[in-house]
Amino acid sequence: MSFAAGQTAAQTFEALQAYVKKMLHYQEALELIYWDLRTGAPKKSVELRSETIGTLSDELFRMSTSDQLAEYLEILSDPGVFSTLERKWQRTIEELQRELDRSRKIPPERNKAYVMLTSQAESVWEEARAQSNFEMFRPYLEQIVAMNIEFVEYWGYDENKYDTLLDLYEPGMTVAQVDKIFGGLREETVKLVQAIAHSGRRIDETPFVRRYDVAKQRELGIMLLEAMGYDFNAGRLDETVHPFETAINRFDVRVTTKYLPDDVRSNIFSVIHEGGHALYEQGVSTDLIGTPLCGGASMGIHESQSRFWENMIGRTREFWEFNYGKLLKLFPSQLADVSLEDFYRGVNVVQPSLIRIEADEVTYNLHIMIRYEIEKGLINGQLRVADLPGIWRDKMKEYLGVVPGNDAEGVLQDVHWSGGSFGYFPTYALGNIYAAQFRNALQKAIPDYLEHVRRGNLGVIKQWLNDNIHRHGKMLKPAQIVEQVTGEAIDSKYLVAYLKEKFGQLYGV
Amino acid sequence: MSFAAGQTAAQTFEALQAYVKKMLHYQEALELIYWDLRTGAPKKSVELRSETIGTLSDELFRMSTSDQLAEYLEILSDPGVFSTLERKWQRTIEELQRELDRSRKIPPERNKAYVMLTSQAESVWEEARAQSNFEMFRPYLEQIVAMNIEFVEYWGYDENKYDTLLDLYEPGMTVAQVDKIFGGLREETVKLVQAIAHSGRRIDETPFVRRYDVAKQRELGIMLLEAMGYDFNAGRLDETVHPFETAINRFDVRVTTKYLPDDVRSNIFSVIHEGGHALYEQGVSTDLIGTPLCGGASMGIHESQSRFWENMIGRTREFWEFNYGKLLKLFPSQLADVSLEDFYRGVNVVQPSLIRIEADEVTYNLHIMIRYEIEKGLINGQLRVADLPGIWRDKMKEYLGVVPGNDAEGVLQDVHWSGGSFGYFPTYALGNIYAAQFRNALQKAIPDYLEHVRRGNLGVIKQWLNDNIHRHGKMLKPAQIVEQVTGEAIDSKYLVAYLKEKFGQLYGV
């Protein structure tokens, strides 16, 4: 590399850094706007705000697909230059190139058509669900599926068309892998659910139906987040209908929760779940600030963090041995007749149900598998949209033993497909699978970790997650993280073992 | 104008409309970010957020000074084209041209130097105030004054250099006018303050020092805003150290208040004051959406709306005849020994004091006049920064009869000068003067308006303000609004008469 070329490359590298920062600033403004829309922006503000979103996201899209960026990436991808860059900038260039290629492969007019289609479809879906009328939504879903297949053709694929969609949400994941991972899990879970149903043990949930003051529930949420090590100087807690976590910047990771006035459990596990997501974002190495790598590695790895905290810490007996006294102090009369053991059982009820987002730790993955199988079938042309309501009912019956009485509580229940998000659903179950694998690694590293939980010493666990998972951000791919933390590839056997052990004890099966 | 030229003009007009919208979108995003920073953004988020603000405001500044915009304005300012445009677009073009000229007259490197200077000066001022050390702040203030004079030279001026700065905040206002308006007001106010001091009447404020539950104070704030006709579907109420109002878009006009746990009055009058500002923004004609005219006409007219509601409605006996019962319901024990008449007097205490933002309705304007005289003297080279502490003390003694013990509660108390805001202070007093003139017009139009207040029928008043002031937005200049509403030019005699009548009765002078 000549001196002159070197200088050019150095200047290009500097220009790229500034360019990336600017993109991140647009993203930050957009994230704040979305947060605000969900946490209390006035109803009438939305229409004008959408135009502002349009302007900022158009600019962000323009920047992420510009000739300018393509030129930067070309210069910096030259092996002689690339090899001199820090690893994080190499990864940044790879990521930017990946996004650029992906965007540029779609003809702009087709992309526009897709954006319009999904935007219409979301309103139609809302109405169709309200009326429990699948036929109303069907033509839209058919078009969305057709366009997803069309896009896969533009993008290309190796073995299975659905791989390309999976890769959008879980980089590197394939149908071959998911089929294998889900296969064993499905079989064992169905058996476990049936065993629990036949165990005859029923947990009485009536003691939980009491008035729980919202101000005190908020206090409880703050207490739980603080106990987990959530940094309130780099975040805040608000109330929304659907709880969520959002990383507006590296030091602004916000969570929300939902307060049911007559059941304290919803708030508790929303807070712990979103807190788990938030600890991930608050734990990414600050060295990655100013790059697009400063965030979670994938949807699945992100979900592993929320699920780990929610289920594998928050729903343990040890966790409540430490915290139940505090809960009783906040709600002495409401929980007067609920023992620690009752409470522990009450937060671990297993009961097949129709709605995914209300499902328990055991049955949840079965809801996901139904969606995965349908998506895979649709994208590969093996299933027809028109047949979905029937397929849905059959699979619900087969896996969960319950059948929806109408499409609103069946095939129309989730928003994802109306927005075109094919490939997203599997990451929820992958998160649970990763979580169990990480739990196993944690147990090896800190054999008495549950003893720490019992003593309220959650810092040990947070630190282990920070060191082994969080800090990497997007530097590593999901499979690399799993390999590095566990020494193995992704495998659902740890989740199976965990579920069988925990719920075997709880239900005596 | 040929057909071809006409087509070009039409295309340019369309392009300008899109261009202006885009600018407004950037402004909207920035306003939301500022709101968020003041209402609860996490402490650690600020540093990265500032970079985002930098990127968005650089882009907004670039757009407002671009050659592209200059070209649009040139084409559309051609009399043959201009005359065919709707009045609101003519005004828009005038406003954009004014801003463009103003920005382009400052050499970019001088503008940059000024931004850096004021940014440093704000931190230094904060420290200087904490230490009550004027000498620490002096060199910065000297430079800021010098640069303001330099900028006035670039911008140009007619009679008085300070006119050019006044015009930034109160378009069209001049020193000649302000001197005249303030002159009579000062003389009469000083006399009134002295008479009140010699009246021997003292209002006992100890009944107000009680514990006022913050949740109930919030409820009270919502009730008051609703009573004023504030639209909560186009706004929201939050808590901040310094209450403010911000119009993020035409349907998103937010207010904040402050809850003192031991004095309910602070919240009440913050809410009514900011509510007055908010009604203005919520009342601008929706026809002005998408133009830069969709907001208050000037700082002074804006302040007239907040002050009118706060003092001329919120501090009347009639207002509390309707609302005091509701207040008692919220705070029965706290106000058990406070009669309606005690309360009315308790919200109208006149007492010379050192701090502007804590001053009452009568003495407030004197605080402003001191600042106005100092600014005018500095910009015209008749006063030296080094002499300010002494000048401050002398004027406080002369107008208010009280003298600060140190500079922190004297010349260093306000943030404005450290940010370079010369010309801003007078608008506070102009607001009070406008308010009294508008009140007089209201009285002519609806002679029994106070009877409406007494019956809680504030809608009549809001409607009158909507029709006569709010709806115009920035279509009219401040002087045009005053002329149109009152049939007269700005005149402080109405404020003098109002103050003498109200406080003459209250203090028997």
Side-chain angles (χ1 to χ4, degrees), chain A residues 381-395:
Chain A
Q382 293 143 348
L383 294 180
R384 293 185 334 144
V385 167
D387 299 329
L388 290 196
I391 296 170
W392 190 278
R393 283 192 295 270
D394 292 347
K395 285 191 185 282

Side-chain angles (χ1 to χ4, degrees), chain A residues 273-340:
Chain A
H273 180 99
E274 304 308 335
H277 280 302
L279 289 189
Y280 191 0
E281 297 284 342
Q282 289 189 339
V284 174
S285 168
T286 55
D287 187 47
L288 297 177
I289 291 172
T291 76
L293 311 172
C294 193
S298 70
M299 303 297 298
I301 301 289
H302 231 303
E303 196 70 6
S304 79
Q305 297 308 294
S306 55
R307 287 293 182 164
F308 173 78
W309 280 99
E310 177 190 351
N311 292 329
M312 296 169 186
I313 302 294
R315 293 188 206 266
T316 61
R317 192 178 271 114
E318 289 81 0
F319 184 82
W320 291 106
E321 282 177 23
F322 186 79
N323 289 298
Y324 197 57
K326 296 178 182 179
L327 190 61
L328 281 177
K329 258 190 202 145
L330 280 170
F331 302 108
S333 64
Q334 289 87 338
L335 297 169
D337 53 356
V338 179
S339 71
L340 169 60

Side-chain angles (χ1 to χ4, degrees), chain B residues 299-496:
Chain B
M299 303 295 299
I301 300 290
H302 232 303
E303 195 70 7
S304 79
Q305 297 308 293
S306 55
R307 287 293 183 166
F308 173 78
W309 280 100
E310 178 190 351
N311 293 329
M312 295 169 187
I313 302 293
R315 293 188 207 267
T316 60
R317 191 178 271 112
E318 289 80 3
F319 184 81
W320 291 105
E321 281 177 22
F322 185 77
N323 289 297
Y324 197 57
K326 296 178 182 182
L327 190 62
L328 281 176
K329 259 190 203 148
L330 280 170
F331 302 109
S333 63
Q334 289 87 339
L335 297 170
D337 53 356
V338 180
S339 70
L340 169 59
E341 189 59 26
D342 288 343
F343 187 79
Y344 170 61
R345 289 171 181 276
V347 300
N348 282 296
V349 175
V350 175
Q351 178 67 55
S353 64
L354 297 171
I355 306 297
R356 175 183 62 84
I357 60 168
E358 293 165 7
D360 57 73
E361 195 178 350
V362 177
T363 59
Y364 189 89
N365 300 311
L366 297 173
H367 289 269
I368 296 306
M369 291 174 200
I370 292 173
R371 288 154 178 78
Y372 166 66
E373 289 163 23
I374 287 174
E375 290 191 354
K376 192 176 57 165
L378 288 171
I379 298 301
N380 287 300
Q382 293 144 347
L383 294 180
R384 293 185 334 146
V385 168
D387 298 330
L388 290 196
I391 294 169
W392 190 279
R393 283 191 296 271
D394 292 347
K395 286 194 185 282
M396 284 296 288
K397 183 156 182 131
E398 186 187 346
Y399 296 168
L400 284 152
V402 291
V403 179
N406 61 52
D407 291 336
E409 50 183 36
V411 67
L412 286 174
Q413 69 183 262
D414 293 306
V415 68
H416 302 58
W417 292 341
S418 72
S421 301
F422 283 84
Y424 186 130
F425 275 126
T427 67
Y428 291 118
L430 292 174
N432 291 325
I433 293 163
Y434 291 139
Q437 280 188 271
F438 294 149
R439 177 179 168 275
N440 198 62
L442 170 65
Q443 204 151 26
K444 276 189 200 150
I446 310 174
D448 62 341
Y449 82 94
L450 279 173
E451 183 54 26
H452 284 288
V453 173
R454 210 179 56 78
R455 285 186 278 115
N457 185 14
L458 301 177
V460 172
I461 291 159
K462 174 177 169 275
Q463 193 60 53
W464 186 84
L465 295 168
N466 283 163
D467 293 343
N468 289 280
I469 298 163
H470 301 169
R471 69 184 174 91
H472 302 301
K474 287 195 217 303
M475 281 292 285
L476 303 176
K477 295 273 174 72
Q480 292 176 306
I481 293 176
V482 175
E483 174 69 32
Q484 192 164 307
V485 175
T486 69
E488 295 179 67
I490 180 168
D491 192 327
S492 56
K493 72 181 176 192
Y494 298 100
L495 180 59
V496 169

Side-chain angles (χ1 to χ4, degrees), chain A residues 237-289:
Chain A
L237 171 64
D238 292 85
E239 184 183 0
T240 51
V241 180
H242 298 291
F244 68 96
E245 171 270 345
T246 177
I248 299 174
N249 71 38
R250 171 60 180 75
F251 294 106
D252 194 355
V253 182
R254 305 184 183 191
V255 291
T256 72
T257 187
K258 180 180 181 173
Y259 305 115
L260 293 183
D262 60 358
D263 194 333
V264 75
R265 292 174 296 180
S266 167
N267 171 42
I268 289 173
F269 294 101
S270 290
V271 154
I272 302 177
H273 180 99
E274 304 308 335
H277 280 302
L279 289 189
Y280 191 0
E281 297 284 342
Q282 289 189 339
V284 174
S285 168
T286 55
D287 187 47
L288 297 177
I289 291 172

Side-chain angles (χ1 to χ4, degrees), chain A residues 4-74:
Chain A
Q7 197 177 42
T8 306
Q11 284 165 348
T12 304
F13 178 54
E14 234 173 78
L16 176 85
Q17 286 178 300
Y19 193 93
V20 166
K21 264 199 178 183
K22 205 171 155 187
M23 285 173 66
L24 294 171
H25 296 155
Y26 277 83
Q27 207 173 302
E28 179 164 344
L30 283 163
E31 292 300 336
L32 181 67
I33 292 174
Y34 292 129
W35 171 84
D36 182 67
L37 281 174
R38 296 173 75 176
T39 53
K43 222 170 94 179
K44 294 183 188 169
S45 72
V46 178
E47 206 180 312
L48 285 170
R49 185 80 85 261
S50 307
E51 292 185 21
T52 295
I53 290 173
T55 291
L56 297 180
S57 45
D58 282 356
E59 178 62 15
L60 183 55
F61 183 75
R62 193 198 59 73
M63 288 188 79
S64 69
T65 56
S66 73
D67 292 340
Q68 175 72 83
L69 178 62
E71 193 191 316
Y72 290 157
L73 295 178
E74 199 190 326

Side-chain angles (χ1 to χ4, degrees), chain A residues 28 44 49 55 231 252, chain B residues 25 28 44 49 55 231 252:
Chain A
E28 179 164 344
K44 294 183 188 169
R49 185 80 85 261
T55 291
D231 182 356
D252 194 355
Chain B
H25 297 155
E28 178 163 344
K44 293 183 188 170
R49 186 79 84 261
T55 290
D231 182 355
D252 193 355

